[in-house]
């Protein structure tokens, strides 16, 4: 989308302002379907940093995600700056849907530009064998 969906921007802003990670969302972006829960950017960055810190090979990248959190409209406190609208959705416990499975099975961390979302719906998709 060349113009971000204003309603989706409002959803992202509410997640940021409420500091909640309980909003489930499914989006279509670049032909991929991503489903999961939204997290505030500061929470998402911290979690990615923790995962990288625990990695022997990727630990050096950890600081990138927590340093300078004023980037992306975030103040050092992790709260959105006044007047800044979110430009990205931050998914955690998320999966890319491929046929009847979601990958990774355990969920991953994804950052999606709101302007790249071509379709979306509230809630997430899950599969069962029953």
């Amino acid at each position: 989308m060349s113009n971000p969906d204003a309603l989706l921007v409002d959803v992202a802003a509410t997640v940021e302002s409420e500091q909640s990670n309980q909003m489930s969302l499914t989006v279509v972006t670049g032909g991929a379907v991503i489903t999961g829960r939204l997290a505030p950017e500061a929470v998402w960055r911290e979690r990615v940093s923790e995962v990288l810190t625990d990695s022997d090979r990727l630990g050096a990248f950890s600081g990138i995600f927590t340093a300078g959190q004023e980037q992306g409209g975030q103040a050092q406190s992790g709260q959105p700056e006044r007047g800044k609208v979110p430009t990205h959705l931050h998914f955690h416990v998320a999966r890319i849907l491929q046929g009847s499975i979601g990958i990774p099975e355990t969920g991953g961390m994804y950052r999606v530009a709101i302007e790249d979302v071509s379709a979306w719906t509230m809630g997430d998709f899950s599969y069962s064998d029953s």
Side-chain angles (χ1 to χ4, degrees):
M1 293 182 142
S2 57
N3 293 322
D5 182 320
L7 187 55
L8 187 55
V9 170
D10 288 346
V11 168
T14 301
V15 169
E16 290 292 338
S17 68
E18 299 294 325
Q19 294 294 295
S20 170
N21 63 359
Q22 299 303 308
M23 173 57 70
S24 295
L25 192 73
T26 299
V27 300
V28 177
T29 180
V33 177
I34 300 174
T35 188
R37 285 189 300 184
L38 295 178
E41 182 176 358
V43 172
W44 182 87
R45 285 175 172 260
E46 184 64 33
R47 181 64 184 124
V48 170
S49 178
E50 290 170 3
V51 169
L52 292 173
T53 297
D54 292 341
S55 170
D56 293 333
R57 298 184 335 188
L58 301 174
F61 294 94
S62 173
I64 295 170
F65 289 88
T66 54
Q69 288 215 357
E70 65 279 352
Q71 297 173 6
Q74 293 293 317
Q76 285 294 339
S77 67
Q79 298 291 326
E81 292 179 18
R82 291 204 186 280
K84 295 277 187 172
V85 295
T87 57
H88 291 77
L89 301 170
H90 296 87
F91 284 92
H92 70 117
V93 194
R95 296 177 316 277
I96 297 174
L97 300 182
Q98 175 92 24
S100 63
I101 61 168
I103 48 179
E105 287 183 21
T106 57
M109 308 286 285
Y110 298 99
R111 176 177 161 115
V112 176
I114 294 172
E115 68 181 15
D116 292 338
V117 173
S118 58
W120 61 278
T121 187
M122 304 303 283
D124 63 352
F125 289 98
S126 59
Y127 294 98
S128 71
D129 293 331
S130 53

